[in-house]
Amino acid sequence: MPSTPVTAASSSSNGTAEEILLELVDEDGNTIGTAEKLSAHQAPGRLHRAFSVFLFDESGRLLLQRRALGKYHSPGVWSNTCCGHPYPGESPFAAAARRTHEELGISPSLLAEAGTVRYNHPDPDSGLVEQEYNHLFVGMVQSALRPDPEEVGETSFVTSDELAGQHAKAPFSAWFLTVLDAARPAIRELTGPAAGW
């Protein structure tokens, strides 16, 4: 799988920055309060709003990112194009566009909602828990990537077949297959049947 390393030096202070608040939600996705980001992820986890973005090139290849080694949660593993959490009161769509630009230096084209999925995924390495109500988005990459090395270790565009091969030998984030499977109908609509998603 061809990949592009991020070459700038990292001076990340992830996990030690100012307090970040997440929206806590009920099982229907209704906001019920806020919690500090790290505390919301500590076992057993608190259900909170999140988003996941899947961007594709003109050939129907999915853009993956390997999370930077300085990340406090799931460092060094491969995952979908971008994921994160809206700020309290921020729409998931706006948050998805914002974080894609912050992490990868691009503004996605044709970004569209692709449903929601609720899951509970413990991370055995960190002991943290992803207890999330996740808003899914699909779109296109039509400009050069400029990844932030504090967020992204490397990037790669993969076909469906290449992804299956990579998954057998490379670590992926605990949530990746859950969000990918939930987004597949919208991915197929965006990329067409020839892409094989």
Side-chain angles (χ1 to χ4, degrees):
M1 170 182 76
S3 64
T4 305
V6 176
T7 55
S10 174
S11 59
S12 175
S13 59
N14 287 324
T16 60
E18 68 279 358
E19 183 177 86
I20 296 173
L21 294 178
L22 308 183
E23 274 189 358
L24 299 179
V25 299
D26 64 18
E27 293 293 335
D28 297 316
N30 300 306
T31 302
I32 58 171
T34 61
E36 190 277 324
K37 182 178 179 181
L38 183 57
S39 70
H41 288 89
Q42 291 171 331
R46 299 179 73 186
L47 185 60
H48 58 274
R49 193 176 312 284
F51 64 83
S52 290
V53 177
F54 297 86
L55 298 183
F56 296 82
D57 67 9
E58 298 291 342
S59 300
R61 297 181 304 164
L62 171 61
L63 174 59
L64 298 178
Q65 70 156 278
R66 187 174 61 81
R67 294 166 62 84
L69 293 175
K71 302 280 279 184
Y72 80 95
H73 190 339
S74 303
V77 301
W78 287 93
S79 197
N80 49 291
T81 308
C82 179
C83 54
H85 309 91
Y87 294 128
E90 182 182 29
S91 76
F93 184 92
R98 173 181 56 81
R99 283 302 291 163
T100 301
H101 189 268
E102 290 171 357
E103 291 187 10
L104 294 161
I106 57 172
S107 296
S109 304
L110 306 174
L111 190 64
E113 295 182 13
T116 59
V117 63
R118 192 260 196 254
Y119 52 79
N120 178 3
H121 286 301
D123 176 31
D125 293 329
S126 68
L128 299 174
V129 178
E130 287 291 3
Q131 186 83 254
E132 293 186 331
Y133 187 92
N134 197 305
H135 298 257
L136 308 171
F137 298 92
V138 299
M140 303 292 293
V141 177
Q142 296 181 314
S143 58
L145 302 177
R146 296 182 316 278
D148 177 351
E150 292 188 7
E151 299 287 345
V152 181
E154 60 186 302
T155 61
S156 180
F157 283 93
V158 298
T159 66
S160 179
D161 288 343
E162 288 168 341
L163 177 65
Q166 181 186 353
H167 183 63
K169 57 189 176 197
F172 277 86
S173 64
W175 61 88
F176 175 67
L177 290 180
T178 299
V179 293
L180 175 63
D181 285 345
R184 278 187 196 274
I187 290 170
R188 290 186 189 111
E189 185 175 332
L190 177 71
T191 61
W197 292 102

